[in-house]
Amino acid sequence: MKGRVWLAGSGPGDPGLVTLRLAEVLKSAEVIVYDRLVSPEILAMAGEKARRIFVGKRTDSHEKSQQEINEILIEEAQKGYQVVRLKGGDPFVFGRGGEELADLLASGIPCEVIPGITSAIAVPEYAGIPVTFRQLSRSFHVFTGHTAEVGVPDFDYEAMARLGGTLIFLMATSNAEEICQGLINGGMKPEMPSAVLRSALPGDEVRRITTVQDLPALLLREQIGAPAVIVIGEVVSLSSELTWRN
Ligand code: SAH
């Protein structure tokens, strides 16, 4: 059979949130190339014979360069294997899935993209925080707090503070101080409700509610690092009322 790559999102970690399409593809996969945020429970959904290749990237120490990852995918598919490229959340949300797809298509490899549930929405949801809520937030905006090139992105904090919607940051724990201060300097009220959240499988939860002003100190004090989703906006105040888990 001809080699092929499925570029797939595995959701925030709970196997129950894997799509039926991904579950089916995992059963027949021959090679699985996966990131650090893919949970062991989801990897276990693949057949025992599937070769598992870890290419996990941290924001600080890159285990494999993007170039190397793309080469692995192309090589395995050219050898004729059925390859699943498995990422946390959704493959096109800060997962460089678009770049991988571009390289694969340019090399003539047949591809299929399988969307996943992004942590940007699901992790707040698990913590009782709806990203939109009538009269509190009519939009939500997802930012990366870290870029490989420049560290903290060159944010227009005034524009962000003016949006009035829910601000969601991924990969932002190490730059939270600069981001929170930037938002306050940009005009956001220092008491704006803010949350730092981690949620995959029950038992691996972090749910801290604070203000934009106090969030950086809380991260330091409690030694909370990646992976975490930071949510800043009025909807965070709903969390205690809307707790539905545990
Ligand atoms: N494609 C992924 C995001 C990749 S960037 C998605 O759609 O979810 C990696 C960042 O996602 C982490 O640094 C963290 O901010 C967030 N993240 C992913 N899974 C998470 C989880 N279970 N709990 C908290 N944050 C998570």
Side-chain angles (χ1 to χ4, degrees), residues 90-112:
D90 180 89
F92 283 5
V93 177
F94 303 132
R96 304 186 74 167
E99 289 166 57
E100 291 177 13
L101 181 62
D103 264 24
L104 288 162
L105 292 177
S107 305
I109 311 283
C111 294
E112 184 184 322

Side-chain angles (χ1 to χ4, degrees), residues 12 37 88-90 93-94 118-120 123 170-171 197-200 227-229:
L37 284 173
D90 180 89
V93 177
F94 303 132
T118 181
S119 64
V123 169
L170 306 188
M171 295 179 281
L197 310 166
R198 178 180 309 137
S199 160
V229 174

